[in-house]
């Protein structure tokens, strides 16, 4: 999962984050991040290959990453639907992550607010999504 996170993160945020930030989000970073997160993860598997995952905490989607090679084949939609069935009601997204925003909005998520906050040493713009049950 750490390798998928690293590849997906780099692909999704290449136009949003600086190269040094992306370099710091390597496999070791994600392995440490996931060390105690396994019980809150949903995974997408095709055949015997892991294709993506979703991490959720208390009804908030922390991450949804698909292997870039598997993106667009329905695995992300299945993960999102399963998370919704398990109580997912909120998530945060970079304002400029247009692909993710289209995906969430296509699945009925609506923007509750836009804001800026510190992330990786800089002020960044975000959107906060909500989904009604």
């Amino acid at each position: 999962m750490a390798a998928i996170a690293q590849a997906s993160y780099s692909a999704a945020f290449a136009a949003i984050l600086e190269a040094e930030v992306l370099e710091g989000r390597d496999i070791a970073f994600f392995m440490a991040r996931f060390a105690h997160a396994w019980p809150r993860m949903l995974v997408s598997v095709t055949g015997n290959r892991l294709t993506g995952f979703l991490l959720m905490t208390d009804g908030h989607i922390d991450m949804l990453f698909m292997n870039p090679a598997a993106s667009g084949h329905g695995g992300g939609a299945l993960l999102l639907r399963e998370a919704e069935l398990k109580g997912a009601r909120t998530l945060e997204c970079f304002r400029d992550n247009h692909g993710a925003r289209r995906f969430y909005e296509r699945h009925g998520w609506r923007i509750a607010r836009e804001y800026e906050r510190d992330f990786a040493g800089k002020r960044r713009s975000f959107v906060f999504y909500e989904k009604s049950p």
Side-chain angles (χ1 to χ4, degrees):
M1 280 192 271
I4 288 174
Q6 187 274 329
S8 181
Y9 197 94
S10 292
F13 305 136
I16 298 170
L17 299 173
E18 300 78 19
E20 59 272 9
V21 174
L22 295 174
E23 290 168 8
R25 297 322 198 254
D26 59 9
I27 291 173
F29 171 88
F30 286 107
M31 287 178 69
R33 172 73 169 87
F34 301 153
H36 300 288
W38 303 116
R40 301 186 327 269
M41 293 181 119
L42 303 173
V43 297
S44 171
V45 178
T46 301
N48 63 353
R49 299 194 62 161
L50 179 66
T51 55
F53 68 90
L54 183 145
L55 174 60
M56 184 170 70
T57 305
D58 298 327
H60 180 80
I61 296 174
D62 299 308
M63 297 180 191
L64 192 167
F65 286 132
M66 295 299 295
N67 180 330
S71 187
H73 297 284
L78 290 172
L79 285 172
L80 185 61
R81 180 68 187 135
E82 185 64 22
E84 291 169 2
L85 291 172
K86 292 182 179 296
R89 296 293 172 253
T90 62
L91 63 90
E92 179 184 66
C93 184
F94 283 109
R95 184 196 65 207
D96 294 335
N97 189 349
H98 303 295
R101 291 183 61 184
R102 281 190 301 273
F103 171 78
Y104 293 124
E105 290 169 13
R106 192 169 53 245
H107 291 281
W109 289 75
R110 298 294 171 241
I111 296 173
R113 66 183 183 275
E114 295 188 32
Y115 53 94
E116 288 188 357
R117 71 173 178 85
D118 289 335
F119 183 89
K122 290 181 74 176
R123 295 293 287 174
R124 316 267 183 185
S125 297
F126 289 88
V127 290
F128 189 83
Y129 281 91
E130 293 180 342
K131 177 84 184 253
S132 298

